[in-house]
Amino acid sequence: MVAVVRQERALRTRRLILEAAASVFDEFGYEGATIGEVVSRAGVTRGAVYFHFASKRDLAQGVVEEQFVQDGVPERSCKLQEFVDTGMVVAHLMPRDPLLSAGARLSLGQDVSDDFGSGAIPGWIGRMEALLVAAGDRGELLPHIVPADTAWLITAAWTGVQIQSQKLSGRADLELRVSGLFQHLMPSVAVPGVLGSLQMGPDRGGQVVAEVAAARAAEGAADGSSAGSETAGVADGVGVG
């Protein structure tokens, strides 16, 4: 039990450090960020940071990788809807979640191009390609579609939209612009029967995020009820004894 508590505390501390680091990287960029500022914002010791991350580069890598840990898009029977939902959820969350915003800056910023490689870009291409492969297996794709090529192109287009939205509006119109991107591109990807059913409006990302939150709340309530029943059962057993 003690080991479990310590592990949970360590995971919470790591997450706290990553969230603080994300805000620092997003504000100052890779070169301008310092471990001291991360320590200050996280409210932890410098030793705690170095326990989890050996260097600033490791910390930046952790920020980039953390965006793939959280699964914010429910699995769909229509894989192209899941494909669209992935892009729309990121568009919804990026202005609100420092981890995503910092991940974009670390992946695309010129100040990290040599030191940090390609950042999150290969991960997003791979995720989108996997969804397109699954969509092809279900007969949702037009015959000319090559999943690897289409994933590369749409990820590049999404990235360009994100950069332009950031420059022109501080991402205030990102959801609208990403919705427009999908509405322009999906007719060249999806078979007509699937295309007509796809939900690609600018509010789609927020709807999916709300759906996930409601599902998690329901699961938490069910777990709490189950735990309460088990506790009651144990108490009853002790009483009978």
Side-chain angles (χ1 to χ4, degrees), residues 10 43 66 84-85 95 110 122 130 154 175 185 208 212 225 227 239:
E66 186 69 13
V84 171
D85 286 353
Q110 293 181 348
I154 291 184
E175 291 177 88
L185 295 183
V208 175
V212 171
S225 175

Side-chain angles (χ1 to χ4, degrees), residues 32-53:
T34 65
I35 295 295
E37 184 64 24
V38 174
V39 168
S40 176
R41 295 194 186 189
V44 299
T45 65
R46 188 175 291 266
V49 172
Y50 283 116
F51 175 81
H52 291 280
F53 303 98

Side-chain angles (χ1 to χ4, degrees), residues 32 45 68 78 80 88 96 102 119 138 143 184 194 197 202 219 236:
T45 65
F68 299 108
C78 176
L80 282 184
M88 292 307 304
R96 300 167 172 85
R138 288 164 171 76
H184 276 77
V194 171
S197 70
E219 290 175 2
D236 289 343

